[in-house]
Amino acid sequence: MSASSVHSLWTTAAPVADKIPAPHIEYAQLAPVLIVFGAAALGVLVEAFLPRKSRYSAQTVLAVVGLAAGFAAVVALAEKGYGTTKAHIAAMGAVAVDGPALFLQGTILLVGIVAVFTFAERRLDPLAHGNQVDSFAAQGSAVPGSDQEKAAVRAGFTSTEVFPLLMFAVGGMLIFPAANDLLTLFVALEVFSLPLYILCALARRNRLMSQEAAVKYFLLGAFSSAFLLFGIALLYGYAGTVSYSGISAVIDGTATMTPALASTTGNDALLLIGLAMVAMGLLFKVGAVPFHMWTPDVYQGAPTPVTGFMASATKVAAFGALLRLLYVVLPGMRWDWRPVMWGVAILTMLAGAVIAVTQTDVKRLLAYSSIAHAGFILAGVIATTPDGISSVLFYLAAYSFVTLGAFAVVTLVRDAGGEATHLSRWAGLGRRSPLVAAVFAVFLLAFAGIPLTSGFAGKFAVFKAASEGGAMPLVIIGVISSAIAAFFYIRVIVLMFFSEPKPDGPTVAIPSVMTSTAIALGVAVTLVLGLAPQYFLDLADKAGVFVR
């Protein structure tokens, strides 16, 4: 038998394809994401090629301009009607361009701009060897306390690579709530998580604690990503597709039945376990109980500007993705997922509020407060009505600016060891620095949901949507949790204004224009959304329709 005839036994001639079809991508509608990633890539080049002296100003300007241009692109898309009448699925089914996506992207970009201001602050720490320093380690790769680190501080090095890392994180967060298939969701999750893991480890003071926070976040984040990925595999096994509309059609029974589908769709275990695992991955990012264990340690250990950015932007992105998953993929499974979400929301509200009462560190207190807020937002998610979506969008926008402002204030209260985050150090702050204490009090009152603040408008909208959606017991528990939470917010205000200042108490650093702007924006948004929320509620209402 000749070699050629043997060869032909196990190969057949394939029909020659004319050409590989090119993907069809709507670049104009993906402009916000592309602009931010473009700026991030430019930031990497700046790090590589510009001399060390000019990197800081170049990176700051590049980051602000990139995020502002991205926001302008979001506004332009909304003006052209992509949030309402022209909403559609772009990039060959990978990304949705619709109202909720544009609203959340706009919020994330504005949060990013304010975060850049806090990242760029260099007036708070005393000069190190005649050089101004920021909140980040002089050289991230140096071992804490080593000669290499001391040499880097003496030479006046600064970690300007935090700006491109921030930009990559924002880019991933822009895709996350707009993802329209499970693989895009997973890739976006990794793109914004990996820079955050690095940013958490870069604190200039308390470096060991900062690195411990980063390791905890990385390990637990890897676990949650693994759960998400396994859930995606099971959902793909169930529906034979990773696209949201495809899975939804299989669940509803409107998909064309093939023999393969008929054999898997008879088995609901794949669907239910897969859904539970994907939800776990998203609830981890949100910081909902029982997936919240990383939150207090990471918030306390990370550099405070990073904590502020993470606490606000990650929540916005993760809740956007959770909303899209539950409302687009699983409307037919409502009776299955609502009872579980009820349990998660109740646990999250109560645990966040009760454990926060025992905290003695400002950053840990704000971390447990953010867990309680995740519970309040989940109440709006559970409503499963159009009002539910718009109330969650409004709450996310209001909450993110209060959080950024509160963490920006925390960076100002300092003693010899850096930030004075222990609550006992804040005693009498209102007498020593009335303006800073008053601003922090405004943010705490907004967290507590006191009328005339954005927190009240947000909570009212979410609870109203939940009660109309038939979740009245949830609203009652939410109000009780709010009352518990109000106790520890007001306790801090009493501590600041009605205690005697200690002679060795901390000082309040005078910030530069950067942090002052971040705090002023936080106060302005808190008061505007509290006093005149109607325009923004209407905007969220218009943006509250998902495309399928």
Side-chain angles (χ1 to χ4, degrees), residues 122-269:
R122 297 186 113 169
R123 286 267 296 277
L124 301 178
D125 265 315
L127 295 180
H129 304 284
N131 299 300
Q132 288 188 326
V133 294
D134 51 22
S135 306
F136 300 97
Q139 194 170 12
S141 57
V143 176
S146 65
D147 294 339
Q148 187 189 359
E149 184 182 56
K150 287 170 190 156
V153 172
R154 273 199 303 279
F157 289 2
T158 53
S159 291
T160 41
E161 57 268 38
V162 294
F163 294 102
L165 285 171
L166 173 84
M167 297 296 281
F168 279 118
V170 169
M173 287 174 188
L174 294 182
I175 302 173
F176 199 55
N180 193 59
D181 69 44
L182 292 168
L183 285 182
T184 309
L185 182 83
F186 178 72
V187 171
L189 175 79
E190 293 307 307
V191 169
F192 83 75
S193 295
L194 293 171
L196 287 179
Y197 300 149
I198 300 169
L199 285 170
C200 284
L202 291 177
R204 179 174 284 272
R205 314 266 183 138
N206 298 337
R207 283 206 58 198
L208 286 172
M209 191 178 184
S210 164
Q211 292 184 351
E212 181 193 343
V215 170
K216 282 178 179 168
Y217 190 22
F218 171 66
L219 289 175
L220 290 169
F223 268 112
S224 86
S225 296
F227 275 115
L228 183 87
L229 201 54
F230 203 78
I232 290 171
L234 293 178
L235 286 176
Y236 178 72
Y238 174 81
T241 174
V242 288
S243 87
Y244 284 5
S245 52
I247 297 171
S248 175
V250 173
I251 292 170
D252 295 345
T254 52
T256 41
M257 243 334 137
T258 62
L261 260 186
S263 66
T264 58
T265 48
N267 181 4
D268 274 352

Side-chain angles (χ1 to χ4, degrees), residues 407-424:
F407 279 108
V409 173
V410 172
T411 61
L412 303 184
V413 182
R414 300 186 156 254
D415 56 20
E419 288 159 12
T421 57
H422 198 278
L423 270 179
S424 62

Side-chain angles (χ1 to χ4, degrees), residues 417-452:
E419 288 159 12
T421 57
H422 198 278
L423 270 179
S424 62
R425 310 285 288 156
W426 288 58
L429 191 73
R431 304 193 187 178
R432 188 170 281 151
S433 182
L435 180 63
V436 169
V439 167
F440 197 58
V442 168
F443 292 136
L444 290 175
L445 292 172
F447 281 137
I450 303 298
L452 303 184

